[in-house]
Amino acid sequence: MSTPSSSPAATPAGGRWQRLRDSYLWYSFKRDRGAQLCLATLLALVGMALLAPWLAPTDPYDLAQIDILASELPPFWIDGSDPAYTLGTDAQGRDLWSIILYGTRVSLLIGFGAVLLQALLGVVFGLLAGYLGGRVDALLMRLADIQLSFSTLMVAIVVGAVVKATLGGGFYSDYAILMLILIIGLAEWPQYARTVRASVLAEKRKEYVDAAKVMGLKSRRIMFRHVLPNTLSPIFVISTVQIANAIISEAALSFLGLGMPETHPSLGSLIKAGFDYLQSGAWWITLIPGAFLVVLVLSINLLGDWLRDVMNPRLYKG
Amino acid sequence: MIAFLTKRLMHALLVMFIISVIAFAIQDNLGDPIQQMVGQSVPESEREALREQFGLNDPFHVQYLRFAGNALSGDFGTSYFYREPALEVIARHLPATLELVFGATLLIVLLSVPIGVYSAIKPRAWISRFFMGASIIGISIPVFLTAILLIQVFSIGITVSLFPESTAWGAWLNGLLSTDGGMPSFGRGQDLVPVIGHWETNLASLGGLTHLVLPSVALASIMLPLFIRLIRAEMMEVLQSEYVKFARAKGIGVRRIYFVHALKNTMLPVITVGGVQIGTMVAYTILTETVFQWPGMGLMFLDAINRADIPLIVAYLMIVGVIFVVTNTLVDLIYGLVNPTVKLTGKPA
């Protein structure tokens, strides 16, 4: 498949916008209602998360605004609701809509942060392994194999548990966002490394790399300036799936009590907090944040599926 | 073949070595065993003597070798909370987890093969499209949320009053969408049948089986979509191949082509991925067991973390490490045996 990013390395710097408008990617996006709907949903959720301080009627982090007497109020369509709280309140009396906005913000922040870290580690290691080959390749890929033979979730849970036990619960909660980004980032880099390595191996044999070598360019320059741009399209495709995975991993860690504290909740810790009240009939505290999480992850996954069909990179299989 | 076998076994040993070093490093850095044993009132000089006596002042590699030796003989120390050998505690919790994994695997195998094959043969049928759509939704719902939904619908029950109750069709639709609940969603229940040693089974009584249903469905829900999609993709690829076309040209019945010729070759990659996924299911058992308070290894591990029960954490890591390494090695070996095109020596292509 010829996509703009898989054309040979020397691309003109200008006119990127025009190239996007001319591309097959844009053409198929214009024709695909499903993809448009997913992107719109995703953008709406991201926008809501970014504008949370302005959209939210109350500030859930401000203890003075919380009314414990107004706890466990149902959402507006059920009898006994309070019009001040559209989606009801949680067990501490926090407005569910406000705290979901802030929670989505935390979930997205951790998801994007973790994927950025994964991509950084994976791209550097994948390039080194693929381009240099030999011992470096064997060592890095063996490491990736070992890590992948455990599930990434398992690695994240174990690392999270050990870090929490070492540093103590209080310290862990204070730096929870940073910790989760590090843990999920470190747990999932092998996916990127394998993908990048596979496409580097294919690119390495091409003539432009030989030409660059003959010209006497340094390996580092060839790797990052010439080979890397040609491996971008598979990176792009797996990034969508990885963001969805990172958000689910974060939610899982938070659900197990290894993630965001209840005072500064993500969608996962909201679900965990609400689960205790499920048996008493207050299903909305857990299921409404759950619905937001599912819609967020689903729209990213569907976009990823669409992107894979359109760009059709030779993803590393197995 | 011998070379391939040795290579895989060396790899497995290397992985176990790395896991044991990590587990030992955790044990070495977390908590002070002397503190756990003697409490506050013992003077520092006596503590130091105890440290010397237990070899806690020895260099890292000496202590590691002692740890590895003990671990090989099945001694992971004594759990702080249960006050009994860590391995014993794990042995008591293992059957619950294994039965949960067994239940989920059974569901996955029974459902994914027919659905995957059908949607590969008839990709345009509405039922295939429905399952493909459902599978992407399934992938997007985290396993603990599926579990919570199952509890809400089948254990607590839901009352729908969306349609007007006064009309006959409204009442009928409300009744159709509402559920009574009542399915057990907490623990393994009372009807456990002892089998041997620590193993009490849920599988031998009706009460035990009903307790197993919701947790198994929840655990299966995370893997089922992956398997349906995998089987469908592989089957579609196989149906494009020359030998299937040739079999068609020869006039062999479609049934025989699908289920004898094509399915055999579809299952090969499915077995490899499947073997590895059954290992990964261990991670998801932690989440499932937490929601259903299922007294297996996952719940035990989470409790051990919250209680900072280091020997139990270390023992769990080692046991889970063994489970992963053994399943992965077995899958590799089976694949090597079954698939003649795999290069048995040297680097895999």
Side-chain angles (χ1 to χ4, degrees):
Chain A
M1 269 294 156
S2 94
T3 53
S5 49
S6 66
S7 57
T11 47
R16 279 178 197 275
W17 186 241
Q18 187 56 41
R19 280 203 308 140
L20 178 69
R21 298 248 315 256
D22 293 341
S23 68
Y24 178 63
L25 189 68
W26 182 250
Y27 171 76
S28 38
F29 181 73
K30 273 194 300 189
R31 290 167 56 98
D32 193 329
R33 276 287 153 80
Q36 289 167 15
L37 186 71
C38 287
L39 191 68
T41 315
L42 183 61
L43 287 179
L45 283 169
V46 172
M48 271 167 41
L50 287 177
L51 299 175
W54 294 277
L55 285 178
T58 60
D59 179 359
Y61 301 153
D62 181 8
L63 289 173
Q65 292 187 31
I66 297 171
D67 182 7
I68 190 71
L69 290 176
S71 65
E72 292 183 59
L73 288 176
F76 67 91
W77 64 87
I78 295 176
D79 292 337
S81 62
D82 184 328
Y85 306 105
T86 323
L87 292 181
T89 57
D90 74 354
Q92 299 174 29
R94 295 182 291 196
D95 175 37
L96 209 54
W97 168 241
S98 310
I99 202 147
I100 284 174
L101 287 176
Y102 279 86
T104 312
R105 196 177 157 113
V106 175
S107 290
L108 278 171
L109 180 67
I110 294 173
F112 278 100
V115 167
L116 217 62
L117 181 65
Q118 286 169 30
L120 195 73
L121 288 172
V123 165
V124 170
F125 288 167
L127 264 181
L128 287 175
Y131 191 78
L132 298 178
R135 285 237 176 103
V136 183
D137 185 26
L139 181 74
L140 286 173
M141 283 305 115
R142 181 57 56 84
L143 200 65
D145 277 349
I146 292 174
Q147 219 184 309
L148 276 183
S149 67
F150 300 87
S151 90
T152 50
L153 184 64
M154 191 75 209
V155 175
I157 290 175
V158 169
V159 175
V162 171
V163 171
K164 191 175 179 180
T166 318
L167 299 178
F171 183 84
Y172 189 86
S173 319
D174 289 346
Y175 294 92
I177 292 186
L178 196 65
M179 292 289 165
L180 286 168
I181 290 178
L182 281 176
I183 290 167
I184 299 169
L186 288 177
E188 298 201 355
W189 68 269
Q191 307 277 8
Y192 275 96
R194 281 186 155 193
T195 312
V196 172
R197 174 178 173 270
S199 30
V200 168
L201 285 181
E203 289 296 320
K204 206 167 81 168
R205 297 196 200 98
K206 291 192 177 163
E207 282 169 354
Y208 73 91
V209 176
D210 287 337
K213 274 188 193 154
V214 170
M215 280 167 70
L217 295 183
K218 288 206 175 79
S219 292
R220 195 162 32 152
R221 191 178 163 84
I222 301 177
M223 270 194 281
F224 286 96
R225 296 293 295 276
H226 297 260
V227 176
L228 182 60
N230 291 308
T231 60
L232 282 181
S233 95
I235 294 178
F236 202 39
V237 170
I238 67 167
S239 289
T240 47
V241 181
Q242 289 300 101
I243 290 176
N245 281 345
I247 290 174
I248 287 193
S249 295
E250 186 280 325
L253 285 173
S254 292
F255 184 77
L256 292 176
L258 298 170
M260 298 304 296
E262 263 181 53
T263 48
H264 200 105
S266 66
L267 290 174
S269 27
L270 282 176
I271 295 169
K272 172 192 160 64
F275 178 53
D276 296 336
Y277 299 90
L278 194 68
Q279 297 286 352
S280 66
W283 54 267
W284 56 89
I285 310 177
T286 185
L287 289 182
I288 294 181
F292 272 82
L293 181 70
V294 171
V295 170
L296 178 65
V297 172
L298 185 63
S299 61
I300 299 177
N301 270 338
L302 286 171
L303 268 183
D305 258 22
W306 168 79
L307 211 58
R308 174 164 41 210
D309 289 346
V310 173
M311 295 178 89
N312 191 25
R314 283 158 307 220
L315 282 176
Y316 185 73
K317 210 176 148 191
Chain B
M1 187 63 217
I2 299 292
F4 177 71
L5 204 78
T6 345
K7 202 175 143 63
R8 295 312 311 171
L9 286 179
M10 289 301 291
H11 188 204
L13 285 179
L14 177 77
V15 175
M16 267 330 289
F17 172 70
I18 294 173
I19 294 171
S20 68
V21 170
I22 293 172
F24 174 68
I26 292 169
Q27 192 188 41
D28 199 36
N29 288 319
L30 284 185
D32 182 0
I34 302 295
Q35 186 99 30
Q36 293 286 341
M37 285 162 68
V38 297
Q40 294 292 336
S41 56
V42 178
E44 187 57 34
S45 59
E46 271 180 47
R47 281 170 197 247
E48 197 50 42
L50 273 173
R51 274 205 188 96
E52 197 62 45
Q53 190 194 331
F54 286 104
L56 294 172
N57 291 334
D58 292 347
F60 187 83
H61 65 274
V62 176
Q63 289 198 52
Y64 169 72
L65 285 178
R66 195 181 306 132
F67 166 81
N70 286 341
L72 280 179
S73 59
D75 176 11
F76 292 96
T78 308
S79 159
Y80 296 156
F81 180 77
Y82 294 95
R83 308 246 167 235
E84 52 184 316
L87 204 62
E88 191 97 338
V89 178
I90 289 188
R92 210 172 44 214
H93 288 92
L94 186 65
T97 299
L98 288 184
E99 286 186 1
L100 181 57
V101 170
F102 172 76
T105 311
L106 200 69
L107 283 175
I108 291 171
V109 172
L110 288 182
L111 291 175
S112 66
V113 175
I115 296 175
V117 168
Y118 183 83
S119 54
I121 297 172
K122 292 208 164 80
R124 301 212 164 268
W126 69 266
I127 193 160
S128 310
R129 288 168 184 234
F130 168 77
F131 278 119
M132 284 306 107
S135 76
I136 189 125
I137 295 176
I139 288 176
S140 304
I141 304 183
V143 64
F144 56 91
L145 203 57
T146 316
I148 292 175
L149 269 174
L150 286 172
I151 292 180
Q152 177 70 44
V153 174
F154 295 107
S155 180
I156 299 173
I158 48 174
T159 325
V160 176
S161 48
L162 205 61
F163 305 101
E165 195 68 38
S166 51
T167 59
W169 61 270
W172 182 75
L173 274 175
N174 284 338
L176 193 71
L177 292 173
S178 301
T179 52
D180 292 333
M183 283 293 282
S185 66
F186 188 89
R188 299 180 74 185
Q190 302 300 320
D191 306 328
L192 296 176
V193 181
V195 183
I196 185 170
H198 287 305
W199 184 20
E200 294 181 313
T201 184
N202 269 69
L203 302 169
S205 65
L206 192 65
L209 282 173
T210 51
H211 275 84
L212 193 58
V213 171
L214 289 187
S216 300
V217 172
L219 187 57
S221 73
I222 196 71
M223 296 289 171
L224 195 56
L226 286 176
F227 275 83
I228 293 178
R229 295 185 138 225
L230 181 72
I231 291 174
R232 174 176 178 268
E234 294 294 339
M235 184 85 176
M236 283 175 103
E237 212 172 302
V238 169
L239 289 180
Q240 296 296 318
S241 62
E242 300 277 319
Y243 72 89
V244 169
K245 285 181 190 157
F246 179 69
R248 277 210 179 111
K250 245 169 52 173
I252 295 175
V254 277
R255 231 163 250 256
R256 196 174 158 76
I257 294 177
Y258 289 147
F259 293 103
V260 177
H261 296 251
L263 192 60
K264 247 190 215 165
N265 285 295
T266 303
M267 291 322 279
L268 201 62
V270 173
I271 287 170
T272 14
V273 177
V276 176
Q277 294 296 340
I278 285 177
T280 19
M281 245 198 240
V282 177
Y284 292 105
T285 57
I286 301 180
L287 287 160
T288 318
E289 288 177 7
T290 308
V291 177
F292 291 102
Q293 291 295 305
W294 188 260
M297 281 204 309
L299 190 62
M300 181 213 74
F301 175 61
L302 212 62
D303 287 340
I305 289 168
N306 290 330
R307 295 169 182 146
D309 194 342
I310 311 295
L312 205 51
I313 297 177
V314 169
Y316 176 84
L317 290 185
M318 295 289 285
I319 297 295
V320 167
V322 170
I323 294 177
F324 272 97
V325 169
V326 168
T327 43
N328 281 340
T329 311
L330 277 180
V331 164
D332 271 358
L333 291 180
I334 292 172
Y335 195 64
L337 284 175
V338 177
N339 188 356
T341 59
V342 156
K343 277 193 201 164
L344 291 182
T345 48
K347 276 193 168 181

